[in-house]
């Protein structure tokens, strides 16, 4: 029988389905990878108050049980982390990755949410930077997260993205991809991949009139899916970028506040 690759997402549930775990599992499916999930938080939105969102954490002992089920009970070929919510949880995830020697660790350092440029949980962000980034095979910060992780005032130009990637690599991450989605100064979105030796730029045209909520989750999940099948970082990153772009092109409206990406081809 054909060997089926297995990927795990450790992420939050965005109830309306654009981002987080829903996006990750859809992505695994499209890549022909078996998806498993450990739920960290539930993000619920208020339809009567401008779609403002609240984050409800899952108790730590329940998260530990989920991790044991999957990591000890089944085994994974790649793991992707998304919204982690508390410093204690980041510590638990780091311990789990080490304890079970999980391969192909893709860290989407979700420090901000729904377009708000403010670190959600500063204590969690600090542990992500100090303990999770150093054991990551791939880390995929957006420009805001890159500036935080690299200790820079801002990451807007290509030079700044390369400098940030270099600094985050120095923290221990084997490969760093600084995403340009929020740097809107040019007609192209350029992601910068640094593997410690050289830079690769992945450029796509700017898209207007589309929805991109969940693009970051999807991108990192697609990389994890590729790695779980034994693809190289370079190949899985290029394929992830093209997958996300197509999903954004097919995006559709959900309500006055949000829209979703289309994962199915
Ligand atoms: O896109 C970041 C993100 C990640 N995970 C969850 C989210 C969001 C943004 O809303 O809700 C669960």
């Amino acid at each position: 029988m054909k060997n089926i690759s297995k990927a795990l997402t450790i992420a939050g549930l965005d109830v309306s389905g654009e981002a987080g775990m829903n996006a990750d599992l859809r992505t695994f499916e499209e890549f022909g990878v078996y998806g498993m999930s450990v739920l960290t938080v539930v993000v619920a939105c208020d339809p009567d108050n401008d779609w403002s969102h609240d984050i409800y954490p899952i108790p730590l002992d329940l998260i530990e049980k989920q991790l044991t089920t999957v990591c000890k009970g089944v085994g994974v070929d790649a793991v992707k982390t998304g919204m982690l919510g508390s410093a204690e949880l980041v510590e638990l995830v780091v311990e789990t990755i080490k304890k079970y020697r999980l391969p192909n660790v893709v860290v989407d350092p979700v420090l901000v949410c729904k377009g708000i440029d403010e670190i959600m949980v500063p204590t969690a962000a600090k542990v992500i930077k100090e303990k999770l980034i150093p054991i990551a095979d791939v880390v995929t910060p957006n420009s805001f997260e890159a500036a935080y992780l690299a200790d820079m005032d801002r990451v807007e130009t290509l030079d700044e993205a390369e400098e940030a990637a270099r600094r985050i690599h120095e923290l221990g991450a084997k490969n760093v991809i600084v995403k340009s989605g929020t740097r809107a100064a040019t007609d192209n979105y350029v992601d910068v991949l640094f593997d410690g030796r050289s830079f690769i730029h992945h450029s796509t045209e700017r898209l207007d009139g589309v929805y991109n909520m969940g693009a970051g989750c999807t991108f990192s999940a697609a990389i994890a899916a590729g790695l779980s099948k034994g693809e190289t970082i370079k190949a899985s990153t290029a394929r992830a970028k093209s997958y996300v772009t197509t999903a954004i092109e097919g995006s559709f409206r959900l309500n006055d506040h949000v829209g979703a990406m289309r994962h199915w081809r």
Side-chain angles (χ1 to χ4, degrees):
M1 198 182 76
K2 190 169 167 282
N3 210 13
I4 303 286
S5 302
K6 300 185 285 296
L8 166 65
T9 171
I10 305 174
L13 173 66
D14 171 25
V15 173
S16 50
E18 308 99 75
M21 182 174 285
N22 286 294
D24 296 341
L25 290 173
R26 287 187 195 117
T27 305
F28 293 160
E29 192 75 15
E30 290 294 318
F31 276 77
V33 168
Y34 180 68
M36 294 181 286
S37 49
V38 166
L39 180 62
T40 57
V41 296
V42 174
V43 179
C45 295
D46 186 351
D48 299 319
N49 185 22
D50 243 2
W51 206 245
S52 69
H53 66 280
D54 282 310
I55 300 176
Y56 299 88
I58 302 298
L60 208 61
D61 59 341
L62 176 50
I63 297 175
E64 196 168 0
K65 286 205 164 67
Q66 299 177 66
L67 286 167
T68 305
T69 307
V70 177
C71 301
K72 186 174 184 184
V74 181
V76 303
D77 300 305
V79 57
K80 173 234 142 124
T81 68
M83 191 183 284
L84 296 177
S86 75
E88 294 75 21
L89 175 52
V90 182
E91 297 270 8
L92 174 62
V93 168
V94 168
E95 278 165 30
T96 304
I97 290 169
K98 289 182 178 166
K99 180 173 173 186
Y100 297 106
R101 295 171 199 237
L102 301 186
N104 297 316
V105 176
V106 180
V107 173
D108 184 17
V110 180
L111 305 180
V112 293
C113 183
K114 307 250 186 206
I116 301 166
D117 275 358
E118 194 181 307
I119 302 278
M120 273 184 308
V121 188
T123 47
K126 188 165 179 289
V127 190
I128 287 177
K129 179 174 174 177
E130 290 174 358
K131 298 191 178 169
L132 187 55
I133 300 298
I135 58 169
D137 291 296
V138 186
V139 53
T140 61
N142 62 27
S143 41
F144 180 84
E145 292 154 349
Y148 170 82
L149 295 172
D151 257 327
M152 293 167 65
D153 289 338
R154 62 193 181 113
V155 174
E156 284 166 13
T157 65
L158 215 50
D159 282 348
E160 286 162 354
E162 290 195 350
E163 175 61 20
R166 235 183 247 117
R167 291 185 185 201
I168 297 166
H169 183 267
E170 268 170 25
L171 295 175
K174 293 195 187 69
N175 299 272
V176 182
I177 302 156
V178 177
K179 297 174 295 188
S180 73
T182 52
R183 281 199 314 276
T186 64
D187 285 341
N188 285 319
Y189 291 133
V190 185
D191 290 354
V192 170
L193 163 64
F194 184 55
D195 63 1
R197 287 183 298 278
S198 54
F199 289 97
I200 293 178
H201 293 173
H202 286 123
S203 175
T204 43
E205 267 181 36
R206 220 186 129 140
L207 301 167
D208 290 311
V210 291
Y211 297 96
N212 67 357
M213 259 290 291
C217 307
T218 300
F219 180 62
S220 56
I223 295 171
L227 295 179
S228 79
K229 294 196 277 192
E231 286 174 10
T232 62
I233 300 275
K234 253 195 224 172
S236 45
T237 305
R239 212 141 85 83
K241 178 84 172 160
S242 129
Y243 176 80
V244 174
T245 304
T246 307
I248 294 174
E249 281 166 353
S251 64
F252 52 95
R253 180 183 185 279
L254 288 178
N255 61 22
D256 284 349
H257 307 284
V258 283
M261 295 166 36
R262 185 177 132 153
H263 284 254
W264 63 93
R265 304 281 111 156

